[in-house]
Amino acid sequence: LKFGAMGSFGGKKGEWGFWTDFVYSDVGGSKQQSRDFTLGGQALPADLSANFDLDRKSVFWTLAGTYELSKTVKNTTDLVFGARLADIKETLSWSINGDIAGTDLPGRSGSAQIDMSQWNAIIGVKGVAYLDAQRKWLVPYYADIGGGQSKLTWQANLGIGYRFDWGATVLSWRYLDYQMKS
């Protein structure tokens, strides 16, 4: 993981509201390897080295409206409807070099890049269940399903948190899945 960030923001007036959620990640890695050659236990005057670098940047952004389905002292549940963007960019770079008896072989190097942006309509529920009468301990939950430019996408999020006067601290688990078309 090179860098990651997540955040969400929403607002409500009466039963209607809006909500947005943003997830960014930049992951990648490098692999380098070299090889000397032997034949019958004898070293050959040849070697090969290879370098590969892979980088993947991802943005998942949900824009949604909300409608209050229920509101009690112990629980609030909203219907969520909107769209999610999946924007992914992968880059693979490589360099392969070698020599035989001190003579350089023609090197091979290059890179390939894949860019994908897909919008999908989503529908789901989000809410908060409170575990105590003071509404300090909470369990936020979220689930959606959708489709459009992908075959299917779904997301689930479940956590536990504690509310302070200034805000809340939440530990949660999130799973986001995409089934892409060919």
Side-chain angles (χ1 to χ4, degrees), residues 50-170:
N51 300 314
F52 294 93
D53 294 307
L54 178 65
D55 187 56
R56 179 181 180 151
K57 293 179 173 73
S58 304
V59 170
F60 297 98
W61 184 28
T62 304
L63 298 164
T66 63
Y67 180 76
E68 189 175 277
L69 295 175
S70 72
K71 185 176 184 177
T72 67
V73 174
K74 291 290 218 176
N75 184 45
T76 61
T77 302
D78 291 342
L79 174 69
V80 177
F81 51 93
R84 180 168 40 247
L85 168 68
D87 187 52
I88 301 170
K89 179 180 181 178
E90 290 183 347
T91 305
L92 174 65
S93 302
W94 64 88
S95 174
I96 303 171
N97 297 297
D99 71 63
I100 297 177
T103 304
D104 288 339
L105 297 173
R108 301 283 183 210
S109 63
S111 66
Q113 183 172 302
I114 298 172
D115 290 315
M116 182 215 58
S117 282
Q118 293 187 347
W119 283 97
N120 290 281
I122 56 112
I123 188 163
V125 294
K126 79 180 205 61
V128 177
Y130 297 98
L131 301 177
D132 62 334
Q134 296 80 25
R135 295 171 52 115
K136 294 285 188 181
W137 287 97
L138 55 112
V139 176
Y141 57 90
Y142 178 88
D144 73 30
I145 190 166
Q149 290 182 305
S150 70
K151 285 182 185 178
L152 176 72
T153 179
W154 66 275
Q155 180 176 205
N157 191 348
L158 183 64
I160 185 147
Y162 187 81
R163 185 179 311 274
F164 299 95
D165 293 336
W166 50 266
T169 300
V170 176

Side-chain angles (χ1 to χ4, degrees), residues 8-36:
S8 63
F9 179 76
K12 243 179 165 178
K13 182 166 177 140
E15 298 173 329
W16 294 94
F18 72 95
W19 181 70
T20 185
D21 180 61
F22 183 83
V23 179
Y24 174 81
S25 69
D26 183 359
V27 296
S30 297
K31 183 70 176 174
Q32 301 168 344
Q33 189 72 41
S34 62
R35 175 86 174 162
D36 294 323

